[in-house]
Amino acid sequence: MGITKNKQSEETILTMAKAAFPERKKPQITELTEGMCNAAYRLQYEDGFSTVLKIASPDREGFMSNEINLMEAEVRAMELVAEKTDIKVARVYRYDTTRELCAGDYFFMENMEGASWNFVKATLDEETNSALRVEVGKLQSKLSKVQGEKFGLLGDDSHKFDTLYDFVYFLIKNVLDDAEKRNVIIGVPKERILTKLEQDRDIFGEVKVPSLVHWDMWEGNIFVKNGHVSGIIDWERAMWGEPLMDDRFRFHNRHEDFLKGFGIKELSASQLRRICWYDILLYLTMMTEVTYRGYEDDGQYRWVKPLFDRIWESL
């Protein structure tokens, strides 16, 4: 379990639930252990109503430089998506930042129908999984139509950028600085990576308008029901960037079914080059967060390091 999980006692959770739903009786509480950042619980009431409680860490311990106001970003993103698209996201019932009932910000949200695609993927036939990949591509295309004025992280009001390049440089430099502070073995000098990125500055100039990006839309954050996507969760890493920055475009899971749904027949040379930099950003983040989160083993690092090496060599 990561050190950022702000677990609470049953008594505290019941007090929070009473404040949010004063007319309801005592619920059954189940801890949700899948996530690695926030503490989460499902509350089930006798009348059939259920809700999910997410609780943020009370401080910055265990977080990296690009992880800024994650809970605020998640709430903003879900409200924005609900307003601007027909993509199913959870309704937020109560968002509390007062710290009066709990040592950490928290919110109660709608319990999504269905199950995590990652959890049920192996039980589905290939035709269904293929159709889901196409459907997710279509949802990503809809999300790309939600546009903003500046590039930047949704939870970070202090750093906004006029160009995509400046935003990407900010993100990659931050994670390289984080890695340096914890002596994470990257295998490539920080200055060499940043110099190479600067040499590629012009390829980012093609993207003029920021789009809303989930960034972490892997199968674990996609809920499915009856062979279709029933909802998208975990929007805390949302940003104003380029659609190609999202997880479904990464080297290790990019699929032609998804690209078909998104509406891309062929990626251009400059798009493929930018995708490599977005791969670098994700893989650097995954390599480095192991030390910040306090994971019990380095399995994630050992899995992602060869991916980073492969993409870096391709640059």
Side-chain angles (χ1 to χ4, degrees):
M1 181 184 73
I3 61 176
T4 59
K5 284 208 172 186
N6 187 10
K7 299 176 70 171
Q8 298 294 314
S9 67
E10 179 178 342
E11 180 182 3
T12 298
I13 293 172
L14 289 175
T15 300
M16 296 158 70
K18 192 65 177 177
F21 312 104
E23 74 286 358
R24 297 188 180 277
K25 298 180 180 180
K26 180 180 177 180
Q28 293 291 320
I29 302 171
T30 303
E31 183 179 3
L32 304 176
T33 59
E34 291 85 357
M36 300 301 290
C37 185
N38 295 317
Y41 303 87
R42 179 178 291 111
L43 281 64
Q44 183 70 48
Y45 289 84
E46 289 183 358
D47 63 0
F49 175 76
S50 64
T51 181
V52 170
L53 166 64
K54 293 187 72 171
I55 308 171
S57 176
D59 52 42
R60 290 284 304 167
E61 183 181 4
F63 289 97
M64 296 169 60
S65 297
N66 290 329
E67 297 175 316
I68 303 171
N69 297 328
L70 296 184
M71 185 157 282
E72 175 70 20
E74 182 166 19
V75 172
R76 286 183 184 180
M78 290 191 293
E79 291 177 344
L80 192 58
V81 171
E83 177 187 351
K84 301 291 187 179
T85 78
D86 61 358
I87 299 172
K88 178 58 180 175
V89 293
R91 174 188 172 191
V92 177
Y93 298 122
R94 177 185 173 92
Y95 176 39
D96 190 342
T97 62
T98 65
R99 308 286 179 101
E100 293 176 354
L101 301 180
C102 170
D105 299 346
Y106 68 88
F107 64 76
F108 287 94
M109 69 177 183
E110 179 183 1
N111 185 34
M112 301 295 289
E113 293 185 357
S116 162
W117 187 14
N118 186 57
F119 184 75
V120 301
K121 186 177 181 179
T123 69
L124 303 175
D125 57 46
E126 177 53 26
E127 183 179 359
T128 301
N129 280 316
S130 175
L132 284 168
R133 287 191 289 265
V134 172
E135 189 172 343
V136 171
K138 291 179 179 179
L139 293 178
Q140 286 270 24
S141 181
K142 289 181 180 180
L143 191 63
S144 71
K145 305 297 191 299
V146 181
Q147 298 180 332
E149 297 180 356
K150 299 279 187 177
F151 296 95
L153 298 167
L154 222 65
D156 182 9
D157 293 330
S158 299
H159 302 94
K160 297 300 180 185
F161 303 90
D162 292 324
T163 70
L164 176 60
Y165 170 78
D166 287 337
F167 179 40
V168 173
Y169 188 94
F170 169 82
L171 294 174
I172 291 180
K173 185 179 185 303
N174 275 349
V175 72
L176 286 170
D177 288 345
D178 288 342
E180 189 174 59
K181 291 173 185 175
R182 296 294 180 94
N183 299 313
V184 177
I185 298 174
I186 302 301
V188 183
K190 177 176 70 173
E191 293 75 15
R192 186 178 174 193
I193 294 175
L194 293 176
T195 298
K196 176 74 75 172
L197 176 58
E198 189 169 358
Q199 291 170 350
D200 276 348
R201 174 191 289 264
D202 290 347
I203 65 172
F204 295 94
E206 294 180 352
V207 182
K208 306 295 185 183
V209 181
S211 295
L212 186 61
V213 179
H214 183 286
W215 199 75
D216 195 23
M217 205 180 290
W218 72 292
E219 288 92 339
N221 288 334
I222 300 170
F223 270 51
V224 299
K225 181 180 180 181
N226 298 328
H228 293 282
V229 176
S230 57
I232 308 295
I233 65 170
D234 287 358
W235 293 81
E236 63 262 28
R237 297 177 185 272
M239 59 180 66
W240 294 109
E242 178 184 13
L244 299 180
M245 298 174 81
D246 216 329
D247 185 81
R248 309 313 305 168
F249 287 97
R250 299 290 60 79
F251 168 76
H252 64 278
N253 62 15
R254 189 165 67 247
H255 198 284
E256 61 182 10
D257 289 336
F258 167 78
L259 295 178
K260 176 183 177 182
F262 190 88
I264 293 180
K265 293 182 178 181
E266 184 177 359
L267 291 160
S268 69
S270 56
Q271 285 178 319
L272 288 170
R273 187 81 176 175
R274 292 199 300 275
I275 280 175
C276 285
W277 281 112
Y278 304 148
D279 288 341
I280 291 292
L281 172 61
L282 175 63
Y283 299 153
L284 284 173
T285 300
M286 294 181 70
M287 290 161 62
T288 304
E289 73 178 1
V290 172
T291 63
Y292 279 79
R293 291 287 193 273
Y295 293 162
E296 295 177 358
D297 62 63
D298 65 348
Q300 177 172 295
Y301 174 91
R302 288 184 285 105
W303 177 79
V304 79
K305 180 62 163 62
L307 293 173
F308 169 81
D309 292 340
R310 179 168 180 170
I311 298 302
W312 176 252
E313 290 172 4
S314 74
L315 286 171

